[in-house]
Amino acid sequence: MSTTEQSSSEPPKAGRPSIVETLRGIPGPIWLVLVGMLLNRLGNFLTIYLVLYLTDKGFSATEAGIALGAYGVGSVVGVLLGGAASDRIGYAWTIIGSMALAGLLTLSLVYLTSLPVVIVVAAVIGLVAQAYRPASSALLVERTPEEHHVMVFAVYRMAFNLGTTAGPLLGALLISYSYDLMFYVDAVTSVGFAGFALFALVLGRSDADTGAGTLGVAEDGVGRSYLTVLRDTRYLLFLLALFLNAVVYIQHTSALPLQLKSDGHSVTVYSALLSLNAFMVICLELLFTKYVQHLPGRVAVALGIGLVGVGMNLYVAGPALAMYVVATVVWTVGEMIGTPTASAWPGRVAPEHLRGRYIAASAFPMQIGYAIGPVIGVAAWQASSALVWWLCGALTAVAVIVTLIGMAEPRRDGDTEGDGADEETVPPVGEAAGRTAS
């Protein structure tokens, strides 16, 4: 092979970074974002303890539930607004504004006594607190080498999961002293994340974290709109796969506890299975990603989604405890295989000036799936305890098919902006995917 041929082909090692190479290659500003996000997750107590806090203050359980529901609605809207803000004012500024406002509003809850005001504030907190997510993902895509995307998103997920796992324990400790103290710490961690993002912006020395300036109009004259995302038919298939996968995945929190109880197992068994999942993801996902990043993106995501469905389907083979452990291990492996690639995919296939919106759009179907999945799962389980697990298998089969179609690489015949997938020249090893990093 000539030197010219070799330079135009896929680099043999650049697309296959090791864990150490990836960690060394993460720029300083991105480390600041990762650490800030970990700090924020450690102090993310609001959704976990809001109901307990409000009932402790004298509100009824129904009123507390309404406030928590308002937070959830705000969260869904906030992701979409965060995607739009990212494309207009820049990724770092979106994180700064999102986290600073979330911290101040969270602190205000300590002083609120009116239920309508509490509901409104909870909804606004949900909105601003989730706006950072598209921006942080877009920063990872734009500020790290393309061949490192899958592994970087695995690092991102590890930080996220560490914070999510340890946060409730820290919250319980703070509550033992004072509910108010818990909200003060929550506010401080949010503002701290904003400070890390500001430092990252200064370290970056420019607004280069946004793909097309800060005015919200792409340089080629193409406007920024979610309608453009909706015209990307391949990407819509990818979003459909995320939705179906979310409906299946969420059954571990809805149908699974019902199944365990029906089979005579205790709550302790359910907690142990969830702990097994968390332990595997935190300890093993980086190691899995070291090898998964060598797979084409659609293969990694389809395999991950498929294993999640198979694992859920295996719950039908109970009631032996060993079968529950095997099933949990299978769907956890699927989660580790598919999620990093799927997480990186939206940012990599998006037109540069719409990266924030593409990433935000990928979160929307998952949130809808997580919302309606429990309703579907419980209804199916009540009809027949086996039906919900067979339904998981059927939905997964459809999700795998649409993943393989939606994530198919286009030809490089010209500009593929409308397709949203522009990476046939990307090394298959570092290929992005939807839920995991590719």
Side-chain angles (χ1 to χ4, degrees):
M1 178 181 292
S2 68
T3 304
T4 303
E5 289 175 323
Q6 188 170 5
S7 64
S8 61
S9 64
E10 298 168 1
K13 291 188 177 180
R16 296 170 169 78
S18 68
I19 297 174
V20 174
E21 289 171 339
T22 300
L23 294 177
R24 288 177 176 174
I26 296 177
I30 297 302
W31 273 118
L32 288 170
V33 172
L34 291 173
V35 173
M37 189 270 294
L38 172 60
L39 177 68
N40 177 59
R41 296 309 301 176
L42 284 171
N44 186 37
F45 310 128
L46 187 61
T47 56
I48 302 170
Y49 296 111
L50 180 61
V51 170
L52 291 176
Y53 170 72
L54 291 177
T55 53
D56 184 71
K57 289 191 69 172
F59 294 103
S60 70
T62 300
E63 292 169 336
I66 293 173
L68 183 60
Y71 179 95
V73 172
S75 298
V76 174
V77 177
V79 170
L80 296 177
L81 290 180
S86 298
D87 292 331
R88 288 189 174 275
I89 67 174
Y91 307 144
W93 284 116
T94 300
I95 297 173
I96 294 167
S98 167
M99 289 294 96
L101 287 173
L104 294 175
L105 289 171
T106 298
L107 189 59
S108 73
L109 280 175
V110 175
Y111 305 99
L112 300 181
T113 57
S114 168
L115 178 64
V117 177
V118 168
I119 292 173
V120 171
V121 171
V124 177
I125 292 174
L127 189 151
V128 297
Q130 297 302 312
Y132 84 91
R133 299 187 71 166
S136 61
S137 294
L139 266 177
L140 294 185
V141 170
E142 188 152 301
R143 289 294 187 88
T144 58
E146 190 172 344
E147 66 273 11
H148 289 203
H149 284 169
V150 175
M151 187 67 75
V152 167
F153 271 92
V155 175
Y156 178 86
R157 274 177 45 80
M158 185 179 72
F160 187 93
N161 288 324
L162 279 171
T164 302
T165 301
L169 301 177
L170 176 59
L173 176 63
L174 294 172
I175 288 173
S176 66
Y177 291 95
S178 166
Y179 270 113
D180 291 353
L181 178 61
M182 179 191 69
F183 282 102
Y184 280 115
V185 173
D186 192 327
V188 168
T189 56
S190 295
V191 175
F193 188 9
F196 274 99
L198 180 60
F199 191 20
L201 181 63
V202 173
L203 193 62
R205 300 182 65 87
S206 72
D207 267 331
D209 57 86
T210 180
T214 60
L215 298 178
V217 179
E219 293 179 2
D220 58 6
V222 179
R224 304 174 185 219
S225 170
Y226 279 109
L227 292 176
T228 306
V229 181
L230 294 177
R231 287 194 291 266
D232 187 339
T233 53
R234 276 187 180 174
Y235 194 65
L236 290 182
L237 289 175
F238 170 69
L239 298 185
L240 174 60
L242 295 184
F243 167 75
L244 295 174
N245 179 245
V247 172
V248 172
Y249 180 83
I250 201 63
Q251 298 311 319
H252 79 279
T253 66
S254 54
L256 178 57
L258 296 175
Q259 186 71 48
L260 285 166
K261 182 178 180 180
S262 175
D263 287 341
H265 297 293
S266 67
V267 175
T268 303
V269 172
Y270 177 58
S271 300
L273 292 176
L274 296 185
S275 298
L276 174 62
N277 165 258
F279 176 81
M280 289 181 62
V281 170
I282 291 172
C283 296
L284 299 178
E285 185 165 290
L286 282 179
L287 294 176
F288 269 74
T289 305
K290 177 181 177 181
Y291 301 99
V292 170
Q293 64 181 336
H294 301 311
L295 298 174
R298 63 174 181 165
V299 173
V301 178
L303 178 60
I305 288 176
L307 286 175
V308 169
V310 169
M312 295 296 171
N313 206 170
L314 284 175
Y315 284 133
V316 79
L321 180 59
M323 198 66 239
Y324 279 104
V325 172
V326 169
T328 302
V329 169
V330 170
W331 67 258
T332 299
V333 169
E335 180 183 0
M336 292 189 292
I337 288 175
T339 305
T341 304
S343 299
W345 185 260
R348 294 187 62 183
V349 302
E352 189 176 6
H353 65 287
L354 288 172
R355 185 171 286 143
R357 284 179 172 84
Y358 264 68
I359 293 172
S362 69
F364 186 75
M366 289 191 292
Q367 293 301 321
I368 298 300
Y370 294 149
I372 71 172
V375 178
I376 295 173
V378 171
W381 189 87
Q382 289 177 331
S384 168
S385 60
L387 178 60
V388 62
W389 308 120
W390 290 115
L391 179 62
C392 285
L395 293 178
T396 296
V398 176
V400 168
I401 292 171
V402 297
T403 295
L404 293 173
I405 298 173
M407 294 182 66
E409 294 288 351
R411 293 181 182 176
R412 251 328 240 206
D413 294 331
D415 183 25
T416 56
E417 176 202 88
D419 235 293
D422 54 14
E423 304 290 307
E424 185 53 60
T425 57
V426 175
V429 173
E431 202 167 352
R435 272 193 54 192
T436 33
S438 192

